[in-house]
Amino acid sequence: GQGKTRGMAARLAIDATINQNFAAVTPGPGVDPEFLFYQLEAKYEALRYWSQGTNQQALNSRLVSEFPFWRPSMTRQLEIGDLLSEADQARTAAVVRLDAARSRQQKYLVESLRGANQ
């Protein structure tokens, strides 16, 4: 895509079609999908810069296919993918706890201040 979404990565777990504003990356043999996703996420700025030479400043399948990717051994890819997935899950759990705490705080504020207006 263009704008902020240019260079962003997402995982798609279902069959789907895409338009010209997307580039699908399908991991081949010897590439762990989890590792590839995290590598694409980490390379967001580099992928954005990679598209600077095109007329539309958009990524396309050709540009993405020419982008250099690091490919360590499958064992190392799995280790890295597992570590990053675990960190992602911990971050998601922390966000859920923070949202719940903010909600409780708001509820307590409303309940506590309700009496002050009477």
Side-chain angles (χ1 to χ4, degrees), residues 9-117:
R11 290 178 274 200
L12 188 60
I14 60 170
D15 289 337
T17 58
I18 59 173
N19 68 18
Q20 68 274 12
N21 290 321
F22 288 87
V25 178
T26 305
V31 179
D32 176 56
E34 197 85 3
F35 172 80
L36 179 59
F37 168 73
Y38 286 118
Q39 185 170 182
L40 287 168
E41 259 197 341
K43 303 254 184 191
Y44 170 70
E45 289 296 332
L47 278 165
R48 289 180 60 76
Y49 181 76
W50 195 256
S51 66
Q52 293 298 316
T54 66
N55 291 336
Q56 292 183 299
Q57 291 192 347
L59 287 167
N60 59 40
S61 295
R62 182 186 57 78
L63 286 170
V64 172
S65 71
E66 294 171 356
F67 189 79
F69 290 100
W70 176 50
R71 194 168 116 185
S73 71
M74 181 57 84
T75 301
R76 188 68 181 133
Q77 288 180 49
L78 293 170
E79 289 172 355
I80 293 168
D82 287 347
L83 287 170
L84 293 172
S85 180
E86 186 178 310
D88 246 357
Q89 290 171 12
R91 182 181 50 80
T92 299
V95 168
V96 168
R97 285 193 308 273
L98 180 60
D99 287 347
R102 285 182 176 148
S103 179
R104 278 193 312 275
Q105 180 185 34
Q106 185 63 31
K107 177 184 169 197
Y108 297 152
L109 280 170
V110 169
E111 289 175 358
S112 298
L113 298 176
R114 185 176 296 138
N117 294 330

Side-chain angles (χ1 to χ4, degrees), residues 2-16:
Q2 296 182 26
K4 181 181 185 284
T5 60
R6 186 178 73 235
M8 290 183 121
R11 290 178 274 200
L12 188 60
I14 60 170
D15 289 337

